[in-house]
Amino acid sequence: VWAHFTMNAPDPFAPFLLQPEEQKITFEADTKVPNAGSFRINREDHTLGNLLVCMLHREPRVLFAAYKVPHPLEHHILVRIQTTQELTPVAAFKNALTAAWHEIDIISRGFQEELGKHRHDRGFGRSMPYASDAFE
């Protein structure tokens, strides 16, 4: 008779699902450095951290931007931003999110356009139920 054993393993969805009462993003202003602060983004990792910091580095009024994952088993990132007086860290963060969303939209549209061309060239038309069928 096989008994049901549970493994001593973390929940596989823990890195992605917010817990009840958990906020996605929090901001804490730096009390020692002017126009600086840290954002804690829960349930995110290097993918979003690197993307945001790259977008922040494009803004000339951002003096410093970096992120870190405090520990591999902690499912959040910390993004630190320092700006000039013309722009707040919160505004810079929002601008970076908007810029990232815009670039993702451009990439997605380009991908869909190329996929449509590939479908048309292969004779699949637009009624193909699964994109993977185009590459058979």
Side-chain angles (χ1 to χ4, degrees):
V1 173
W2 290 94
H4 177 70
F5 294 101
T6 57
M7 293 181 13
N8 186 14
D11 179 4
F13 295 104
F16 311 109
L17 299 176
L18 285 174
Q19 299 299 314
E21 308 295 322
E22 184 178 32
Q23 291 183 329
K24 183 67 174 178
I25 302 172
T26 56
F27 174 72
E28 185 176 335
D30 192 316
T31 58
K32 296 179 182 177
V33 179
N35 298 321
S38 296
F39 292 87
R40 178 186 166 124
I41 309 173
N42 290 314
R43 308 300 169 189
E44 295 295 344
D45 59 13
H46 293 284
T47 304
L48 183 64
N50 190 41
L51 177 64
L52 285 176
V53 168
C54 286
M55 295 294 132
L56 287 162
H57 285 164
R58 293 180 177 181
E59 169 61 62
R61 297 173 292 179
V62 171
L63 301 175
F64 177 82
Y67 82 95
K68 69 178 180 177
V69 177
H71 189 276
L73 295 178
E74 293 179 22
H75 307 296
H76 68 273
I77 59 173
L78 300 173
V79 179
R80 180 149 172 75
I81 303 171
Q82 182 182 5
T83 63
T84 63
Q85 290 186 349
E86 295 108 28
L87 184 69
T88 66
V90 173
F93 185 81
K94 287 180 181 179
N95 293 347
L97 284 173
T98 301
W101 185 261
H102 180 70
E103 288 205 18
I104 290 168
D105 185 52
I106 290 170
I107 292 167
S108 177
R109 287 180 191 202
F111 176 79
Q112 292 299 326
E113 183 179 319
E114 291 300 316
L115 183 60
K117 288 178 187 176
H118 181 76
R119 287 178 179 168
H120 185 276
D121 292 345
R122 301 272 311 261
F124 287 108
R126 293 269 181 206
S127 62
M128 186 175 60
Y130 300 105
S132 61
D133 292 348
F135 300 104
E136 289 181 349

